[in-house]
Amino acid sequence: MESVGSLVGSPWIYAVVALSVLLDVFLPVLPSGVLVIAAATAAAASTAAYVPDILVLTLCAATASVLGDLVAYRLAWRGGARLDRALARSSRLRGAQERLGVALARGGGGLVVLARFAPAGRSVVSLGAGASRRRARDFLPWSALAGLSWAGYSVALGYLGGQWLGATWLATAVSVGALFAAGAGAGYLMRKPQASEAR
């Protein structure tokens, strides 16, 4: 952790985390979860002059998550025929769009929360909600809950890992592993309705 101390141990960590979380709706390969966990791990056991505040880190990541969702939602809403053709070519996007529509129509946006943990799930759901012209008041409250849940879970993983194992790469790796496990579980649960419909 000492090698990233210059970033984690400065106020710039909030800007880097916010930018990474904001943009990973478009570039799911960005390591936003790893950054959040690394900052929380350092906060748990750091002796640096500047220690990230856990609450500020959580709110920063959650706010950036919702803003990213909103940008993707609005871009997809205005995407027009070109985006519709792209969605039509992707069975994954098309299936997620249909399931999201059913979930929001029934008043249950648990799929939005679940998708925030799944790999690329956030992108699929945010773009699908906008492309299918779902009302913002049906989507955004669930997006806010999803962002807060994901940020709280990621920060808690990093902080507890740091408390348990100290500010080490092992603590970060264990916490990131737990985040990936949650993502794999969320991905499985998102595919499950599709499998049951196919039977």
Side-chain angles (χ1 to χ4, degrees), residues 15-81:
V16 173
V17 164
L19 188 62
S20 178
V21 173
L22 180 71
L23 294 177
D24 82 359
V25 70
F26 302 106
L27 301 166
V29 295
L30 285 176
S32 57
V34 175
L35 276 173
V36 173
I37 286 173
T41 301
S46 181
T47 56
Y50 182 84
V51 177
D53 183 274
I54 294 299
L55 181 58
V56 175
L57 184 62
T58 304
L59 291 176
C60 177
T63 302
S65 179
V66 176
L67 288 176
D69 288 356
L70 180 59
V71 170
Y73 169 85
R74 293 305 298 173
L75 286 174
W77 182 286
R78 297 177 181 179

Side-chain angles (χ1 to χ4, degrees), residues 169-194:
W169 283 113
L170 177 61
T172 304
V174 168
S175 300
V176 168
L179 183 66
F180 286 166
Y188 170 76
L189 290 174
M190 284 182 70
R191 288 189 300 271
K192 199 174 177 183
Q194 199 173 19

Side-chain angles (χ1 to χ4, degrees), residues 40 54 59 62 69 89 96 107 133 141 149 164 166:
I54 294 299
L59 291 176
D69 288 356
R89 285 193 301 267
R133 307 293 195 275
S149 301
W164 181 38

Side-chain angles (χ1 to χ4, degrees), residues 105-198:
R106 291 179 179 165
L111 179 64
V112 178
V113 177
L114 193 61
R116 184 60 187 89
F117 290 83
R122 174 188 181 204
S123 307
V124 170
V125 167
S126 297
L127 292 170
S132 58
R133 307 293 195 275
R134 297 293 161 196
R135 295 178 300 182
R137 67 183 183 195
D138 291 337
F139 172 68
L140 288 179
W142 290 104
S143 170
L145 179 59
L148 191 57
S149 301
W150 175 83
Y153 180 72
S154 300
V155 168
L157 282 177
Y159 188 80
L160 293 174
Q163 288 284 318
W164 181 38
L165 297 168
T168 64
W169 283 113
L170 177 61
T172 304
V174 168
S175 300
V176 168
L179 183 66
F180 286 166
Y188 170 76
L189 290 174
M190 284 182 70
R191 288 189 300 271
K192 199 174 177 183
Q194 199 173 19
S196 61
E197 282 166 16

